[in-house]
Amino acid sequence: SYLLNRLNPVSSFFFGPDSSLYGLLHTAKKEDATQAVLICPPIGAAYKKCYFLLKLLGDELAEAGIPVLRFDYYATHDSMGEDQEASFDQWRSDIQCAYQELQERTGAEITVLGIRMGALLALRSLAEKDVKKWVLWDPVYSGNSYYQELMNMQKRKVWRSRTVRGYSKPMAEGNGVELIGFTYSDTAVKEMQTISADDLQLKSDAKVFHIHTKDIITDQDTHSWQQLLDSKICDVDVNCAWLDPVELTTTIIDKKIL
């Protein structure tokens, strides 16, 4: 990875409204690239789990001549803003900004890779754009089901640590709810509970690849995605442990995903 970075430098910069979004562009060694990849990461603790693989993916695609843009949503990681300023509407806007930024920097046809909630956000943000290829890694189908998953994880996490703090107790009235290390505002929670892939429509010529890993995610979601988007399912024998609070901070290092 160090050698790849020397051959294909990664440039960091801020973009978007008030330069509030942090981006990392993996630059391809050829300047006239016809393909580029936009990575829409998951939110919360899931991002930390796959950060290493996404960096490695960016390096390898750049080496193959495909520039890659990774970025942080507003109020997450290295972008501006605090947890409780975040909202799903804001993150959808961030994805649109990132898409435009990559298009302006490369002029290439963009493939979108979305992971978990990042996949659903990307689809809801860019469905009307001319995206020919989508890659969805264990995508969330229903925001409400995802919220319940986070609640259950938080409950199990608190039970294991044997603390007295309630797993869904707000920090203070109007200040939101902490779920697995990230504080969601009341607005963000409501938006999460209503976002869904139902009735989603993509361009007729769009190709969708669905990466399904060996995990505790139900097959119902996979079936729903396949019915909705006629996606090609790629089963990968890797356990990402997305929903296991014990493995919350364990980095996914199995390269079968790549």
Side-chain angles (χ1 to χ4, degrees):
S1 181
Y2 171 73
L3 180 58
L4 290 182
N5 280 340
R6 291 188 61 187
L7 295 174
N8 306 287
V10 179
S11 57
S12 61
F13 55 93
F14 285 90
F15 67 99
D18 300 320
S19 298
S20 58
L21 303 177
Y22 179 74
L24 289 164
L25 182 66
H26 296 254
T27 308
K29 57 185 178 183
K30 60 179 183 179
E31 297 181 359
D32 57 343
T34 59
Q35 300 285 329
V37 172
L38 173 64
I39 296 179
C40 299
I43 60 176
Y47 186 21
K48 297 178 182 179
K49 291 182 67 67
C50 63
Y51 185 88
F52 169 77
L53 275 188
L54 296 182
K55 178 185 180 302
L56 188 60
L57 177 62
D59 290 341
E60 294 191 357
L61 287 176
E63 173 65 13
I66 302 173
V68 176
L69 176 60
R70 296 187 291 127
F71 73 101
D72 296 335
Y73 304 115
Y74 183 75
T76 69
H77 306 288
D78 291 318
S79 286
M80 303 297 183
E82 301 297 327
D83 284 10
Q84 295 175 61
E85 297 179 82
S87 73
F88 280 69
D89 282 346
Q90 174 65 56
W91 290 340
R92 288 169 63 177
S93 177
D94 295 345
I95 290 172
Q96 292 171 351
C97 285
Y99 179 89
Q100 182 178 347
E101 185 73 20
L102 182 57
Q103 204 165 46
E104 291 176 355
R105 285 175 177 264
T106 66
E109 183 178 291
I110 298 174
T111 292
V112 176
L113 165 61
I115 305 95
R116 300 292 287 136
M117 179 56 80
L120 180 54
L121 285 168
L123 288 163
R124 280 300 179 193
S125 307
L126 303 175
E128 296 182 0
K129 299 291 186 181
D130 190 25
V131 179
K132 295 291 195 302
K133 294 179 183 177
W134 297 83
V135 181
L136 313 177
W137 176 3
D138 288 333
V140 171
Y141 189 92
S142 163
N144 188 51
S145 295
Y146 182 70
Y147 175 68
Q148 295 303 322
E149 291 171 355
L150 292 180
M151 292 280 282
N152 290 334
M153 287 177 67
Q154 181 73 6
K155 182 178 180 180
R156 290 161 61 196
K157 178 186 175 184
V158 171
W159 180 83
R160 286 179 178 276
S161 62
R162 300 181 183 278
T163 65
V164 296
R165 184 176 180 182
Y167 74 94
S168 62
K169 181 181 178 181
M171 296 175 63
E173 185 176 354
N175 285 351
V177 179
E178 182 181 334
L179 294 172
I180 312 299
F182 190 89
T183 302
Y184 296 87
S185 67
D186 295 336
T187 298
V189 169
K190 290 177 182 177
E191 291 174 338
M192 186 192 308
Q193 291 174 310
T194 56
I195 191 172
S196 167
D198 286 341
D199 303 320
L200 183 69
Q201 291 185 335
L202 300 180
K203 299 286 186 179
S204 60
D205 58 346
K207 294 182 179 179
V208 182
F209 300 88
H210 182 166
I211 299 174
H212 180 233
T213 62
K214 183 181 179 182
D215 207 341
I216 52 179
I217 298 170
T218 65
D219 289 332
Q220 182 60 43
D221 275 359
T222 303
H223 179 68
S224 298
W225 279 116
Q226 194 168 21
Q227 280 192 318
L228 180 70
L229 301 178
D230 191 27
S231 55
K232 178 180 179 181
I233 305 296
C234 305
D235 287 308
V236 183
D237 189 20
V238 174
N239 186 354
C240 296
W242 297 119
L243 308 182
D244 188 346
V246 178
E247 300 292 332
L248 194 61
T249 57
T250 303
T251 300
I252 304 169
I253 59 174
D254 196 321
K255 293 184 181 180
K256 291 177 186 176
I257 294 290
L258 302 186

